[in-house]
Amino acid sequence: MDNLVQLTDVTKRYDHDGTPALHHVSLAVAPGEALAVMGPSGSGKSTLLNLIAGLDRPTGGEVSVGGDRVDQLSETGLARFRRRRVGMIFQFFNLLDDMTVLDNILLPAQLAGLAAARARTRAGELLEALRIAKHADAYPARLSGGERQRVAIARALVNRPALLLADEPTGALDTATGEEIGELLLDLNHSGQTLIVVTHNPDLAARYARRVIRLVDGQVASDAAVAVRP
Amino acid sequence: MRATPPPALQLPPALRAARGGLSGRRVQTAVIAAVVLAATAACTLALGLLVDSNAPFDHAFAAQRGAHVTATVTPSAQLAAARPSGVTAQAGPFAETTDSVTIVIAGRPGDGPQGVFQTQLTLVGRGSPGGPVDDLTITAGRWASAPGEVVLDRNRRGPAPLLGSRLTVHGAPGSPRLTVVGLASSATGTADAWVLPAELAKLRTPHAPPTAQLLYRFARAGTTAEVNADIARLRAALPPGGLLGAQSYLTAKLRATGSIAPWVPFIVAFGLIGLVMSVLIVANVVSGAVAAGTRRIGVLKSVGFSPGQVVAAYLIQVTAPALAGCVLGAVAGNLLSVPLLGQTAQVYGVGTLAVPFWVDLAVPLAILALTAAAALPPAIHAARLSAVQAIATGRAPRPSGGYAAHRLLARARLTRRLPRPVTLGLASPFARPGRTLVTLAAIGFGVLAVTFAAGLTTSLNRVAADLSRSTAVPVQIEVPGDPSAGSGPAAGAKAGPGAAPGGGSLPSPAAQQRAVLAALHAQPGTRRYVAEADDAISVPGLSGRLSLTAFGGDSRWTGYALVSGRWYAAGSDQVVVNTPFLTATGTAVGDSYTLTSGGRRRTVRIAGQVFDPSGGTPEVIGGLTALASLDPQLAVTQYDVTLAPGTDTALYTAALNRALGPDYQANAMSDSSPELLAVIGLVGALMLLLAAVASLGVLNTVVLQIRERVHDLGVFKAVGMTPRQTMAMVICSVAGTGLAAGLIAIPAVIALHHTVLPVMGHAAQTAIPAAVLHAYQPWEIVLLALAGLLIAVAGALAPASWAARTRTASALRAE
């Protein structure tokens, strides 16, 4: 089976002569997989996620997602790639405060030029599925942290991406809310959604991922499968 | 031993903080410098011209204790005793007369034109140049001290003879001869020449009514109304019918400042626009810097900066680039003033005229103070911020508004079909309404400048076309004896015998007429022509001279623009006159007026007012028969010719010149003059300057907007916004504001145009024809309203491109 994500010998430097944030990293993620990326602060977790999402470019090596050479795409190509192939959720949600929940969710679909009716239908499905339909016309600032993260997940999924990337998705949430979000991500993965989660929380990684890699100083220190929960 | 700290650490803390701020915000620093430069340049130019347009006359008038009113009166025993109320000083009566004279110009080789000229002079008998009023300045030679000596006014129109030149007074019995022994200047031009009082009686034309001149200074004579009131009191104080004419010094002042004064109103308008724009933009820059630098302010305060030091740091951050802008702006203003001041300098004969030093000092200082004042409120706001709160905020305060706008634009039936980046951009001005209003005002003033300049250029081109009459009269033929075809004597003087351009003896006027008419009839393309005679005469009651233009046939087609009334009827006593004539004589269209010159009188009826400022010289245009009765020397000097459609003017003119021979000169008329081109160039330069300033204001706004919302920009890009969509969003964020500014500015521009043009006309001593005033066509107004959009897009392009290129990951990391 072809890998959905393939990183080959990827290096990323922020300073010309400084220590690389990622150093000759190679990694493959199969479709439907749930991968947790762990490591201490500054180990390169977020950098890895940014490179897979096409938010940043590697200094060396190749990054492929769904057959697209992400490292070779133009800025416009990268934007189209992000619309179609990946959805991303962040620790601090990154919602747009001056737009309603519905408008936040619709945004990627509108940017992709999806027909208005189809986009609204899809957003409605997600609002229901994520149990935030009653907040459709509310502004993010009025929602709880968990609700905001649900909105962010809905926005990430509106274009039905093959890959969902989550950067510390529970990092800004209390334990109970964090568990809720973790369960939600797990459900998504069970429904076939490929998932890569960056976290420094071993419990989250152990409970909601099937495979965990550890990054240390920009290199893959370990890559191990997690036993499937009963 | 203690090491010496590096130079940067030796600076006071506020200066160090300001330096850090300056280097961290290069765009804002450059914007402040550029807008202050433009405002300083425009204001320096405006004030410099305003001062220089008045200063030389005012200085001369004060130094000479110039006459507020020059009265021409019938001599009588009561004259000397007549002293109307309000008079502070009085001189005269001085006997005066107007004579035809022939001047034989003496000169050294290479000293300019020499030859024989015929002209008219107003001669006044005065024992000395001094006195309580009109204290003449001798500029060359000495005052007349013996019979046969004359002193000429150095500013009079016509040839400028050297000392020792000879005058022959033709009208007087025995044609007495006078020798020029001095040149003098009178601020108000009370005479063309002065002789000893005893000499004047010999110079008077037989049967000419004796007249005298009385010169008055009044306590209140600052305005036309006050001078008119003074004249009314004077009339009442003199014997009935004694006052033949009265000339206000304001007329002379208008004439003296005529070359530059017309341009002052529009330059002042541009200066004010520039000033308001710079204050708006600087205030916007500084408030944006404070908003964007909240965290930095918190850090400065947490490390021990006092509120005063924070204020000082922000003031320095603004005033340092503003100072650079002020200095460069003053230099630019001086350079822009060169073409116009050069013309004024020629008029006054003062060599060079420059922007006064105090203007160069005062304008930059005032603009620097205004800039600092604009910066002070946000700087004080910054100083009052709590350090903890400022640091906790972490970045510029989030926009507090615009939610409803986003919602409306996303869902409204009208806008929901628009691409999402467009509606996102259109909603963003509502996030910061205050800043949007300032930006709107800056763009509005930019549109004002652009549209005003466009209208002004249209009007000036129409003025040029109306004055040159080149459309109606594309070809003029100068006949021999016309001064302008000879060796350079000025208008109003006629070259004497022997001055034929062809070198031989001149043909008689009748022969000249036959030759021209034959050539015109023979030349294909001739559609219509008329003979024109021009002369300038002295008329009691009018300072300076009266210009006469007479036509020897139907002249309705000759292209004079009428301000009011109608063209004169051929063969009648009707004339048309220019505005200076109406002003100087206090008449109106429909009135009758008796012209007196050299003992001849002719009453004419004013049928219309033509647009022909003539540098402030009163002008009468009428039929040749009617005007020749007043001025027997009025002879045909040129033929005005209009051509059949499709005739090539250049080819026609060349063929006509070949047919007429060297004694005649056929000229293709042009409506462009170097002066007008210089002014239109200046209008264009100021327009570009102010449009650039408005664009810089937009650039600043967009940069602030992007800086504040760079994180949101990262989010947009993370969810799939392409660079092109990013550019569209950023440009649309000011496009709506630009469009609105254009729509708001247009009515203001039309009002400004209709206000400034008549003021310019007044300064040029003329009323403005309606066609010149109505410069904007409906389609032009629509296009010009889009100037706001253009300015906004031009200003937003660079930051939009920067936003499009910004790396998504960097934007998401931004605070």
Side-chain angles (χ1 to χ4, degrees), chain A residues 55 79 82-83 94 96-100 103 110-111 137 139, chain B residues 403 406 411 420 709 711 715-717 720 722 725 808-809:
Chain A
L55 297 177
R82 286 194 291 269
R83 281 178 197 163
N94 280 344
L96 297 157
D97 290 343
D98 47 11
M99 291 164 65
T100 63
D103 288 336
Q110 292 167 327
L111 290 174
D137 289 328
Y139 288 95
Chain B
Y403 288 31
H406 271 289
R411 299 184 189 178
R420 192 65 177 117
R709 302 203 64 187
H711 188 264
V715 174
F716 283 127
K717 298 183 103 176
T722 63
Q725 288 175 321
T808 312

PDB file of all heavy atoms in Angstrom, chain A residues 55 79 82-83 94 96-100 103 110-111 137 139, chain B residues 403 406 411 420 709 711 715-717 720 722 725 808-809:
ATOM      1  N   LEU A  55       3.410  24.346   5.330  1.00  0.00           N
ATOM      2  CA  LEU A  55       3.460  25.691   5.900  1.00  0.00           C
ATOM      3  C   LEU A  55       4.880  26.250   5.856  1.00  0.00           C
ATOM      4  O   LEU A  55       5.094  27.439   5.995  1.00  0.00           O
ATOM      5  CB  LEU A  55       2.984  25.685   7.356  1.00  0.00           C
ATOM      6  CG  LEU A  55       1.527  25.255   7.591  1.00  0.00           C
ATOM      7  CD1 LEU A  55       1.208  25.217   9.076  1.00  0.00           C
ATOM      8  CD2 LEU A  55       0.574  26.203   6.883  1.00  0.00           C
ATOM      9  N   ALA A  79      -0.785  26.459  -1.312  1.00  0.00           N
ATOM     10  CA  ALA A  79      -2.090  26.865  -0.782  1.00  0.00           C
ATOM     11  C   ALA A  79      -3.163  25.893  -1.253  1.00  0.00           C
ATOM     12  O   ALA A  79      -4.018  25.462  -0.466  1.00  0.00           O
ATOM     13  CB  ALA A  79      -2.414  28.281  -1.254  1.00  0.00           C
ATOM     14  N   ARG A  82      -2.853  22.664   0.665  1.00  0.00           N
ATOM     15  CA  ARG A  82      -3.374  22.732   2.040  1.00  0.00           C
ATOM     16  C   ARG A  82      -4.902  22.653   2.042  1.00  0.00           C
ATOM     17  O   ARG A  82      -5.498  22.076   2.941  1.00  0.00           O
ATOM     18  CB  ARG A  82      -2.909  24.025   2.711  1.00  0.00           C
ATOM     19  CG  ARG A  82      -1.441  24.009   3.090  1.00  0.00           C
ATOM     20  CD  ARG A  82      -1.105  25.140   4.049  1.00  0.00           C
ATOM     21  NE  ARG A  82      -1.181  26.446   3.410  1.00  0.00           N
ATOM     22  CZ  ARG A  82      -0.160  27.051   2.817  1.00  0.00           C
ATOM     23  NH1 ARG A  82       1.024  26.452   2.778  1.00  0.00           N
ATOM     24  NH2 ARG A  82      -0.307  28.232   2.266  1.00  0.00           N
ATOM     25  N   ARG A  83      -5.507  23.287   1.021  1.00  0.00           N
ATOM     26  CA  ARG A  83      -6.969  23.239   0.940  1.00  0.00           C
ATOM     27  C   ARG A  83      -7.479  21.814   0.761  1.00  0.00           C
ATOM     28  O   ARG A  83      -8.444  21.400   1.380  1.00  0.00           O
ATOM     29  CB  ARG A  83      -7.437  23.996  -0.305  1.00  0.00           C
ATOM     30  CG  ARG A  83      -7.487  25.445  -0.214  1.00  0.00           C
ATOM     31  CD  ARG A  83      -7.925  25.877  -1.607  1.00  0.00           C
ATOM     32  NE  ARG A  83      -7.656  27.275  -1.825  1.00  0.00           N
ATOM     33  CZ  ARG A  83      -7.632  27.832  -3.029  1.00  0.00           C
ATOM     34  NH1 ARG A  83      -7.832  27.084  -4.093  1.00  0.00           N
ATOM     35  NH2 ARG A  83      -7.406  29.101  -3.143  1.00  0.00           N
ATOM     36  N   ASN A  94      -6.422  29.022  16.711  1.00  0.00           N
ATOM     37  CA  ASN A  94      -6.251  29.880  15.512  1.00  0.00           C
ATOM     38  C   ASN A  94      -7.559  30.117  14.767  1.00  0.00           C
ATOM     39  O   ASN A  94      -7.618  30.045  13.535  1.00  0.00           O
ATOM     40  CB  ASN A  94      -5.209  29.280  14.555  1.00  0.00           C
ATOM     41  CG  ASN A  94      -3.799  29.590  15.016  1.00  0.00           C
ATOM     42  OD1 ASN A  94      -3.609  30.480  15.850  1.00  0.00           O
ATOM     43  ND2 ASN A  94      -2.832  28.854  14.528  1.00  0.00           N
ATOM     44  N   LEU A  96     -10.610  32.742  13.680  1.00  0.00           N
ATOM     45  CA  LEU A  96     -10.660  34.183  13.381  1.00  0.00           C
ATOM     46  C   LEU A  96     -11.780  34.797  14.212  1.00  0.00           C
ATOM     47  O   LEU A  96     -12.957  34.456  14.038  1.00  0.00           O
ATOM     48  CB  LEU A  96     -10.892  34.394  11.886  1.00  0.00           C
ATOM     49  CG  LEU A  96      -9.728  33.845  11.052  1.00  0.00           C
ATOM     50  CD1 LEU A  96     -10.144  33.540   9.625  1.00  0.00           C
ATOM     51  CD2 LEU A  96      -8.560  34.825  11.066  1.00  0.00           C
ATOM     52  N   ASP A  97     -11.372  35.655  15.148  1.00  0.00           N
ATOM     53  CA  ASP A  97     -12.311  36.147  16.156  1.00  0.00           C
ATOM     54  C   ASP A  97     -13.446  36.989  15.602  1.00  0.00           C
ATOM     55  O   ASP A  97     -14.496  37.097  16.228  1.00  0.00           O
ATOM     56  CB  ASP A  97     -11.549  36.991  17.190  1.00  0.00           C
ATOM     57  CG  ASP A  97     -10.651  36.119  18.038  1.00  0.00           C
ATOM     58  OD1 ASP A  97     -10.868  34.885  18.050  1.00  0.00           O
ATOM     59  OD2 ASP A  97      -9.727  36.665  18.673  1.00  0.00           O
ATOM     60  N   ASP A  98     -13.210  37.614  14.442  1.00  0.00           N
ATOM     61  CA  ASP A  98     -14.256  38.503  13.928  1.00  0.00           C
ATOM     62  C   ASP A  98     -15.214  37.792  12.977  1.00  0.00           C
ATOM     63  O   ASP A  98     -16.023  38.419  12.316  1.00  0.00           O
ATOM     64  CB  ASP A  98     -13.634  39.736  13.252  1.00  0.00           C
ATOM     65  CG  ASP A  98     -12.517  39.378  12.315  1.00  0.00           C
ATOM     66  OD1 ASP A  98     -12.352  38.175  12.031  1.00  0.00           O
ATOM     67  OD2 ASP A  98     -11.803  40.290  11.850  1.00  0.00           O
ATOM     68  N   MET A  99     -15.084  36.483  12.909  1.00  0.00           N
ATOM     69  CA  MET A  99     -16.013  35.715  12.075  1.00  0.00           C
ATOM     70  C   MET A  99     -16.754  34.710  12.947  1.00  0.00           C
ATOM     71  O   MET A  99     -16.199  34.191  13.926  1.00  0.00           O
ATOM     72  CB  MET A  99     -15.233  34.980  10.969  1.00  0.00           C
ATOM     73  CG  MET A  99     -14.662  35.948   9.941  1.00  0.00           C
ATOM     74  SD  MET A  99     -13.386  35.230   8.904  1.00  0.00           S
ATOM     75  CE  MET A  99     -14.297  34.018   8.037  1.00  0.00           C
ATOM     76  N   THR A 100     -18.005  34.444  12.585  1.00  0.00           N
ATOM     77  CA  THR A 100     -18.797  33.506  13.385  1.00  0.00           C
ATOM     78  C   THR A 100     -18.232  32.093  13.237  1.00  0.00           C
ATOM     79  O   THR A 100     -17.402  31.824  12.356  1.00  0.00           O
ATOM     80  CB  THR A 100     -20.261  33.481  12.909  1.00  0.00           C
ATOM     81  OG1 THR A 100     -20.283  33.010  11.564  1.00  0.00           O
ATOM     82  CG2 THR A 100     -20.888  34.869  12.984  1.00  0.00           C
ATOM     83  N   ASP A 103     -18.890  30.865   9.776  1.00  0.00           N
ATOM     84  CA  ASP A 103     -18.017  31.482   8.778  1.00  0.00           C
ATOM     85  C   ASP A 103     -16.588  30.953   8.884  1.00  0.00           C
ATOM     86  O   ASP A 103     -15.895  30.812   7.869  1.00  0.00           O
ATOM     87  CB  ASP A 103     -18.032  33.013   8.921  1.00  0.00           C
ATOM     88  CG  ASP A 103     -19.346  33.604   8.443  1.00  0.00           C
ATOM     89  OD1 ASP A 103     -20.014  32.957   7.618  1.00  0.00           O
ATOM     90  OD2 ASP A 103     -19.713  34.710   8.902  1.00  0.00           O
ATOM     91  N   GLN A 110     -14.831  28.015   0.992  1.00  0.00           N
ATOM     92  CA  GLN A 110     -15.025  29.199   0.129  1.00  0.00           C
ATOM     93  C   GLN A 110     -13.748  29.524  -0.617  1.00  0.00           C
ATOM     94  O   GLN A 110     -13.777  29.901  -1.791  1.00  0.00           O
ATOM     95  CB  GLN A 110     -15.483  30.381   0.976  1.00  0.00           C
ATOM     96  CG  GLN A 110     -16.887  30.199   1.535  1.00  0.00           C
ATOM     97  CD  GLN A 110     -17.222  31.210   2.612  1.00  0.00           C
ATOM     98  OE1 GLN A 110     -16.346  31.630   3.376  1.00  0.00           O
ATOM     99  NE2 GLN A 110     -18.494  31.580   2.686  1.00  0.00           N
ATOM    100  N   LEU A 111     -12.612  29.427   0.068  1.00  0.00           N
ATOM    101  CA  LEU A 111     -11.336  29.711  -0.609  1.00  0.00           C
ATOM    102  C   LEU A 111     -11.084  28.699  -1.721  1.00  0.00           C
ATOM    103  O   LEU A 111     -10.462  29.019  -2.733  1.00  0.00           O
ATOM    104  CB  LEU A 111     -10.186  29.691   0.401  1.00  0.00           C
ATOM    105  CG  LEU A 111     -10.149  30.833   1.407  1.00  0.00           C
ATOM    106  CD1 LEU A 111      -9.044  30.614   2.427  1.00  0.00           C
ATOM    107  CD2 LEU A 111      -9.946  32.173   0.716  1.00  0.00           C
ATOM    108  N   ASP A 137     -23.852  30.580  14.944  1.00  0.00           N
ATOM    109  CA  ASP A 137     -23.821  32.027  14.721  1.00  0.00           C
ATOM    110  C   ASP A 137     -23.083  32.790  15.820  1.00  0.00           C
ATOM    111  O   ASP A 137     -23.106  34.030  15.845  1.00  0.00           O
ATOM    112  CB  ASP A 137     -25.256  32.560  14.597  1.00  0.00           C
ATOM    113  CG  ASP A 137     -25.881  32.124  13.284  1.00  0.00           C
ATOM    114  OD1 ASP A 137     -25.129  31.991  12.298  1.00  0.00           O
ATOM    115  OD2 ASP A 137     -27.103  31.885  13.266  1.00  0.00           O
ATOM    116  N   TYR A 139     -19.686  33.960  18.074  1.00  0.00           N
ATOM    117  CA  TYR A 139     -18.292  34.283  17.778  1.00  0.00           C
ATOM    118  C   TYR A 139     -17.380  33.450  18.679  1.00  0.00           C
ATOM    119  O   TYR A 139     -17.752  33.150  19.817  1.00  0.00           O
ATOM    120  CB  TYR A 139     -18.042  35.777  17.981  1.00  0.00           C
ATOM    121  CG  TYR A 139     -18.684  36.603  16.900  1.00  0.00           C
ATOM    122  CD1 TYR A 139     -19.944  37.150  17.081  1.00  0.00           C
ATOM    123  CD2 TYR A 139     -18.049  36.786  15.684  1.00  0.00           C
ATOM    124  CE1 TYR A 139     -20.556  37.882  16.078  1.00  0.00           C
ATOM    125  CE2 TYR A 139     -18.665  37.524  14.668  1.00  0.00           C
ATOM    126  CZ  TYR A 139     -19.917  38.069  14.860  1.00  0.00           C
ATOM    127  OH  TYR A 139     -20.518  38.770  13.863  1.00  0.00           O
TER     128      TYR A 139
ATOM    129  N   TYR B 403     -17.199  42.961  13.358  1.00  0.00           N
ATOM    130  CA  TYR B 403     -17.822  41.629  13.362  1.00  0.00           C
ATOM    131  C   TYR B 403     -19.059  41.631  12.463  1.00  0.00           C
ATOM    132  O   TYR B 403     -19.252  40.741  11.645  1.00  0.00           O
ATOM    133  CB  TYR B 403     -18.225  41.235  14.787  1.00  0.00           C
ATOM    134  CG  TYR B 403     -17.065  40.904  15.697  1.00  0.00           C
ATOM    135  CD1 TYR B 403     -15.828  41.505  15.556  1.00  0.00           C
ATOM    136  CD2 TYR B 403     -17.220  39.972  16.709  1.00  0.00           C
ATOM    137  CE1 TYR B 403     -14.772  41.200  16.390  1.00  0.00           C
ATOM    138  CE2 TYR B 403     -16.166  39.655  17.559  1.00  0.00           C
ATOM    139  CZ  TYR B 403     -14.948  40.274  17.394  1.00  0.00           C
ATOM    140  OH  TYR B 403     -13.910  39.973  18.214  1.00  0.00           O
ATOM    141  N   HIS B 406     -18.222  41.722   8.770  1.00  0.00           N
ATOM    142  CA  HIS B 406     -17.810  40.407   8.255  1.00  0.00           C
ATOM    143  C   HIS B 406     -19.027  39.522   8.014  1.00  0.00           C
ATOM    144  O   HIS B 406     -19.142  38.864   6.972  1.00  0.00           O
ATOM    145  CB  HIS B 406     -16.884  39.730   9.262  1.00  0.00           C
ATOM    146  CG  HIS B 406     -15.447  40.074   9.054  1.00  0.00           C
ATOM    147  ND1 HIS B 406     -14.724  39.610   7.990  1.00  0.00           N
ATOM    148  CD2 HIS B 406     -14.605  40.853   9.766  1.00  0.00           C
ATOM    149  CE1 HIS B 406     -13.481  40.079   8.056  1.00  0.00           C
ATOM    150  NE2 HIS B 406     -13.392  40.854   9.128  1.00  0.00           N
ATOM    151  N   ARG B 411     -22.750  37.075   4.073  1.00  0.00           N
ATOM    152  CA  ARG B 411     -24.070  36.453   3.835  1.00  0.00           C
ATOM    153  C   ARG B 411     -25.033  37.279   3.001  1.00  0.00           C
ATOM    154  O   ARG B 411     -26.028  36.747   2.532  1.00  0.00           O
ATOM    155  CB  ARG B 411     -24.710  36.168   5.190  1.00  0.00           C
ATOM    156  CG  ARG B 411     -23.847  35.203   5.972  1.00  0.00           C
ATOM    157  CD  ARG B 411     -24.439  34.807   7.256  1.00  0.00           C
ATOM    158  NE  ARG B 411     -23.441  34.058   8.011  1.00  0.00           N
ATOM    159  CZ  ARG B 411     -23.636  33.591   9.195  1.00  0.00           C
ATOM    160  NH1 ARG B 411     -24.782  33.771   9.803  1.00  0.00           N
ATOM    161  NH2 ARG B 411     -22.677  32.921   9.818  1.00  0.00           N
ATOM    162  N   ARG B 420     -14.541  35.058  -1.687  1.00  0.00           N
ATOM    163  CA  ARG B 420     -14.408  35.260  -0.246  1.00  0.00           C
ATOM    164  C   ARG B 420     -13.265  36.215   0.119  1.00  0.00           C
ATOM    165  O   ARG B 420     -13.439  37.060   1.005  1.00  0.00           O
ATOM    166  CB  ARG B 420     -14.206  33.904   0.441  1.00  0.00           C
ATOM    167  CG  ARG B 420     -14.335  33.956   1.949  1.00  0.00           C
ATOM    168  CD  ARG B 420     -15.743  34.322   2.370  1.00  0.00           C
ATOM    169  NE  ARG B 420     -15.894  34.294   3.812  1.00  0.00           N
ATOM    170  CZ  ARG B 420     -16.191  35.368   4.550  1.00  0.00           C
ATOM    171  NH1 ARG B 420     -16.349  36.540   3.967  1.00  0.00           N
ATOM    172  NH2 ARG B 420     -16.334  35.278   5.846  1.00  0.00           N
ATOM    173  N   ARG B 709      -2.474  42.119  11.993  1.00  0.00           N
ATOM    174  CA  ARG B 709      -3.243  40.909  11.713  1.00  0.00           C
ATOM    175  C   ARG B 709      -2.388  39.859  11.006  1.00  0.00           C
ATOM    176  O   ARG B 709      -2.918  39.024  10.268  1.00  0.00           O
ATOM    177  CB  ARG B 709      -4.471  41.266  10.880  1.00  0.00           C
ATOM    178  CG  ARG B 709      -5.356  42.286  11.572  1.00  0.00           C
ATOM    179  CD  ARG B 709      -6.757  42.239  11.083  1.00  0.00           C
ATOM    180  NE  ARG B 709      -7.391  40.948  11.406  1.00  0.00           N
ATOM    181  CZ  ARG B 709      -8.592  40.603  10.965  1.00  0.00           C
ATOM    182  NH1 ARG B 709      -9.270  41.402  10.203  1.00  0.00           N
ATOM    183  NH2 ARG B 709      -9.116  39.434  11.299  1.00  0.00           N
ATOM    184  N   HIS B 711      -0.925  37.370  12.225  1.00  0.00           N
ATOM    185  CA  HIS B 711      -1.259  36.033  12.679  1.00  0.00           C
ATOM    186  C   HIS B 711      -2.498  35.509  11.954  1.00  0.00           C
ATOM    187  O   HIS B 711      -2.532  34.352  11.496  1.00  0.00           O
ATOM    188  CB  HIS B 711      -1.493  36.050  14.195  1.00  0.00           C
ATOM    189  CG  HIS B 711      -1.655  34.687  14.772  1.00  0.00           C
ATOM    190  ND1 HIS B 711      -2.888  34.122  14.981  1.00  0.00           N
ATOM    191  CD2 HIS B 711      -0.744  33.756  15.149  1.00  0.00           C
ATOM    192  CE1 HIS B 711      -2.728  32.907  15.472  1.00  0.00           C
ATOM    193  NE2 HIS B 711      -1.425  32.670  15.591  1.00  0.00           N
ATOM    194  N   VAL B 715      -3.242  32.303   9.481  1.00  0.00           N
ATOM    195  CA  VAL B 715      -4.380  31.377   9.548  1.00  0.00           C
ATOM    196  C   VAL B 715      -5.033  31.258   8.175  1.00  0.00           C
ATOM    197  O   VAL B 715      -5.326  30.149   7.707  1.00  0.00           O
ATOM    198  CB  VAL B 715      -5.403  31.846  10.606  1.00  0.00           C
ATOM    199  CG1 VAL B 715      -6.650  30.957  10.575  1.00  0.00           C
ATOM    200  CG2 VAL B 715      -4.779  31.851  11.983  1.00  0.00           C
ATOM    201  N   PHE B 716      -5.250  32.397   7.543  1.00  0.00           N
ATOM    202  CA  PHE B 716      -5.857  32.371   6.200  1.00  0.00           C
ATOM    203  C   PHE B 716      -5.025  31.494   5.268  1.00  0.00           C
ATOM    204  O   PHE B 716      -5.564  30.685   4.515  1.00  0.00           O
ATOM    205  CB  PHE B 716      -5.935  33.787   5.614  1.00  0.00           C
ATOM    206  CG  PHE B 716      -7.048  34.620   6.186  1.00  0.00           C
ATOM    207  CD1 PHE B 716      -6.792  35.870   6.723  1.00  0.00           C
ATOM    208  CD2 PHE B 716      -8.350  34.160   6.177  1.00  0.00           C
ATOM    209  CE1 PHE B 716      -7.803  36.648   7.255  1.00  0.00           C
ATOM    210  CE2 PHE B 716      -9.378  34.935   6.705  1.00  0.00           C
ATOM    211  CZ  PHE B 716      -9.104  36.182   7.244  1.00  0.00           C
ATOM    212  N   LYS B 717      -3.717  31.677   5.328  1.00  0.00           N
ATOM    213  CA  LYS B 717      -2.866  30.923   4.419  1.00  0.00           C
ATOM    214  C   LYS B 717      -2.848  29.449   4.814  1.00  0.00           C
ATOM    215  O   LYS B 717      -2.789  28.575   3.953  1.00  0.00           O
ATOM    216  CB  LYS B 717      -1.450  31.510   4.419  1.00  0.00           C
ATOM    217  CG  LYS B 717      -1.435  32.942   3.923  1.00  0.00           C
ATOM    218  CD  LYS B 717      -0.058  33.511   3.855  1.00  0.00           C
ATOM    219  CE  LYS B 717       0.402  33.532   2.431  1.00  0.00           C
ATOM    220  NZ  LYS B 717       1.655  34.131   2.181  1.00  0.00           N
ATOM    221  N   GLY B 720      -5.588  27.611   3.304  1.00  0.00           N
ATOM    222  CA  GLY B 720      -5.599  27.481   1.850  1.00  0.00           C
ATOM    223  C   GLY B 720      -5.722  28.749   1.038  1.00  0.00           C
ATOM    224  O   GLY B 720      -6.025  28.691  -0.155  1.00  0.00           O
ATOM    225  N   THR B 722      -4.457  31.420  -1.321  1.00  0.00           N
ATOM    226  CA  THR B 722      -3.312  31.500  -2.232  1.00  0.00           C
ATOM    227  C   THR B 722      -2.705  32.908  -2.186  1.00  0.00           C
ATOM    228  O   THR B 722      -3.362  33.852  -1.717  1.00  0.00           O
ATOM    229  CB  THR B 722      -3.740  31.217  -3.689  1.00  0.00           C
ATOM    230  OG1 THR B 722      -4.654  32.236  -4.070  1.00  0.00           O
ATOM    231  CG2 THR B 722      -4.382  29.859  -3.833  1.00  0.00           C
ATOM    232  N   GLN B 725      -5.015  35.328  -3.835  1.00  0.00           N
ATOM    233  CA  GLN B 725      -6.173  35.646  -2.986  1.00  0.00           C
ATOM    234  C   GLN B 725      -5.771  36.571  -1.838  1.00  0.00           C
ATOM    235  O   GLN B 725      -6.530  37.456  -1.447  1.00  0.00           O
ATOM    236  CB  GLN B 725      -6.776  34.346  -2.425  1.00  0.00           C
ATOM    237  CG  GLN B 725      -7.522  33.526  -3.472  1.00  0.00           C
ATOM    238  CD  GLN B 725      -8.003  32.196  -2.926  1.00  0.00           C
ATOM    239  OE1 GLN B 725      -7.307  31.544  -2.158  1.00  0.00           O
ATOM    240  NE2 GLN B 725      -9.193  31.788  -3.348  1.00  0.00           N
ATOM    241  N   THR B 808       3.854  31.173   5.726  1.00  0.00           N
ATOM    242  CA  THR B 808       2.721  30.865   6.601  1.00  0.00           C
ATOM    243  C   THR B 808       3.190  30.536   8.015  1.00  0.00           C
ATOM    244  O   THR B 808       2.621  31.027   9.003  1.00  0.00           O
ATOM    245  CB  THR B 808       1.939  29.677   6.017  1.00  0.00           C
ATOM    246  OG1 THR B 808       1.708  29.928   4.638  1.00  0.00           O
ATOM    247  CG2 THR B 808       0.631  29.472   6.724  1.00  0.00           C
ATOM    248  N   ALA B 809       4.229  29.714   8.112  1.00  0.00           N
ATOM    249  CA  ALA B 809       4.688  29.299   9.446  1.00  0.00           C
ATOM    250  C   ALA B 809       5.172  30.512  10.241  1.00  0.00           C
ATOM    251  O   ALA B 809       4.888  30.629  11.445  1.00  0.00           O
ATOM    252  CB  ALA B 809       5.800  28.276   9.305  1.00  0.00           C
TER     253      ALA B 809
END
